[in-house]
């Protein structure tokens, strides 16, 4: 029991602490997610050979090990396990482990791991403290990341539902091309998704994509503000040079990087 408790303490430190070692661990997890996303796109250009399926299974085992460590680090493992994003993560991992049976179906769900990490408060805090660019452009960076995740997920959905019977969708590049032209409502017409399911999928891409585009544009063009909770009223966003909170007038002490 003591050994199990000690392991949980170590794991929680790695997933939540602000020490250099814990930050490196979380950056390594983000790198692992980026690697898995890149593999999804690359594998769509390759035939389903034994080597490709072997890499899928090995990657799935690595991600499964990390998933088990994350659940073990939680003080409430069962509640953590049934959280929606963790369930989606588990489905994504199973799609890798069962690659020889599924032949790549549902593999696009692996990108949800990146979405989970990008919304992790601790990781955002890490990026904010380590990267001045991210600290200055946090909202725009997250909006761009969400749009990128949406593009990849929808391209994966288009690819998985169309590449076996649609000659216009042969790989992820074709699926991404269709997704972007639909999202921007360009609609060249050289690639279409037949049937009711295809039309509904196109509608989802256009509606959701326009919403994400607007959010990104809003984040890019609205006046730049910094996140700093007011000690008195809790207002989160202020002008970079604000001395007083505009909501309650409390004196602020917003840290800056100093003048060059």
């Amino acid at each position: 029991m003591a050994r199990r408790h000690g392991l949980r303490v170590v794991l929680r430190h790695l997933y939540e602490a602000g020490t250099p070692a814990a930050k490196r661990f979380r950056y390594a997890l983000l790198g692992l997610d980026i690697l898995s996303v890149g593999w999804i796109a690359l594998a769509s250009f390759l035939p389903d050979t034994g080597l490709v399926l072997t890499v899928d299974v090995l990657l799935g085992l690595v991600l499964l090990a990390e998933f088990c460590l994350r659940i073990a680090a939680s003080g409430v493992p069962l509640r953590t396990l049934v959280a929606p994003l963790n369930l989606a993560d588990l489905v994504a991992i199973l799609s890798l482990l069962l690659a020889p049976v599924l032949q790549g179906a549902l593999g696009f769900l692996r990108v949800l791991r990146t979405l989970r990490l990008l919304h992790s408060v601790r990781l955002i805090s890490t990026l904010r403290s380590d990267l001045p660019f991210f600290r200055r452009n946090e909202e725009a960076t997250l909006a761009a990341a969400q749009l990128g995740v949406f593009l990849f997920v929808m391209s994966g959905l288009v690819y998985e539902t169309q590449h076996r019977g649609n000659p216009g969708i042969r790989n992820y590049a074709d699926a991404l091309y269709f997704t972007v032209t639909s999202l921007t409502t360009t609609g060249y017409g050289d690639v279409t998704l037949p049937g009711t399911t295809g039309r509904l999928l196109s509608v989802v891409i256009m509606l959701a994509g326009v919403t994400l585009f607007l959010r990104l544009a809003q984040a890019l063009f609205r006046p730049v503000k910094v996140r700093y909770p007011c000690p008195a009223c809790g207002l989160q966003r202020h002008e970079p040079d604000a001395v007083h909170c505009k909501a309650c007038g409390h004196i602020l002490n917003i840290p800056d990087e100093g003048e060059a």
Side-chain angles (χ1 to χ4, degrees):
M1 182 65 70
R3 181 179 299 177
R4 183 182 302 175
H5 177 72
L7 176 61
R8 178 173 296 174
V9 170
V10 172
L11 292 175
R12 292 193 70 173
H13 174 83
L14 290 175
Y15 279 98
E16 300 178 8
T19 63
K23 289 182 179 181
R24 287 194 296 269
F25 175 77
R26 291 194 293 274
Y27 276 121
L29 292 183
L30 182 59
L32 179 62
D33 285 305
I34 294 173
L35 177 65
S36 66
V37 168
W39 171 249
I40 296 170
L42 176 62
S44 72
F45 292 89
L46 305 174
D48 288 333
T49 62
L51 177 61
V52 170
L53 297 178
T54 299
V55 172
D56 274 347
V57 173
L58 291 176
L59 182 59
L61 289 174
V62 173
L63 296 181
L64 179 62
E66 187 277 325
F67 181 85
C68 293
L69 292 177
R70 184 173 1 117
I71 298 301
S74 172
V76 283
L78 183 59
R79 185 184 305 174
T80 303
L81 177 63
V82 298
L85 287 180
N86 284 333
L87 289 177
D89 197 10
L90 184 59
V91 171
I93 293 171
L94 290 177
S95 74
L96 280 165
L97 295 176
L98 299 176
V101 178
L102 297 176
Q103 294 294 311
L106 301 180
F108 63 92
L109 287 177
R110 282 168 277 182
V111 77
L112 292 178
R113 290 176 49 83
T114 303
L115 183 62
R116 173 186 57 79
L117 281 177
L118 288 172
H119 280 81
S120 165
V121 175
R122 183 60 60 179
L123 180 61
I124 290 174
S125 298
T126 300
L127 292 172
R128 187 186 296 123
S129 63
D130 291 352
L131 305 175
F133 174 83
F134 183 87
R135 186 163 57 248
R136 293 191 300 266
N137 304 277
E138 179 179 339
E139 189 170 351
T141 303
L142 288 178
Q146 289 171 348
L147 179 59
V149 168
F150 172 81
L151 283 174
F152 196 92
V153 170
M154 296 311 298
S155 297
L157 186 57
V158 169
Y159 174 75
E160 296 295 345
T161 58
Q162 298 291 319
H163 78 278
R164 293 178 180 83
N166 189 336
I169 306 293
R170 295 164 297 179
N171 49 55
Y172 262 77
D174 294 334
L176 178 62
Y177 168 77
F178 172 82
T179 302
V180 171
T181 56
S182 297
L183 185 149
T184 57
T185 66
T186 304
Y188 294 115
D190 52 342
V191 180
T192 59
L193 304 188
T196 302
T197 302
R199 292 187 179 94
L200 290 176
L201 183 56
S202 300
V203 169
V204 170
I205 292 173
M206 286 184 280
L207 292 179
V210 167
T211 302
L212 290 172
F213 258 134
L214 290 176
R215 184 171 184 272
L216 176 59
Q218 184 184 41
L220 288 173
F221 296 110
R222 71 167 44 168
V224 176
K225 294 186 178 182
V226 296
R227 290 184 179 272
Y228 180 81
C230 172
C233 70
L235 184 68
Q236 294 287 321
R237 297 177 60 80
H238 307 274
E239 302 296 331
D241 58 351
V243 177
H244 297 86
C245 175
K246 66 179 181 181
C248 69
H250 188 85
I251 295 179
L252 303 174
N253 185 22
I254 302 177
D256 57 34
E257 299 168 32
E259 300 233 346

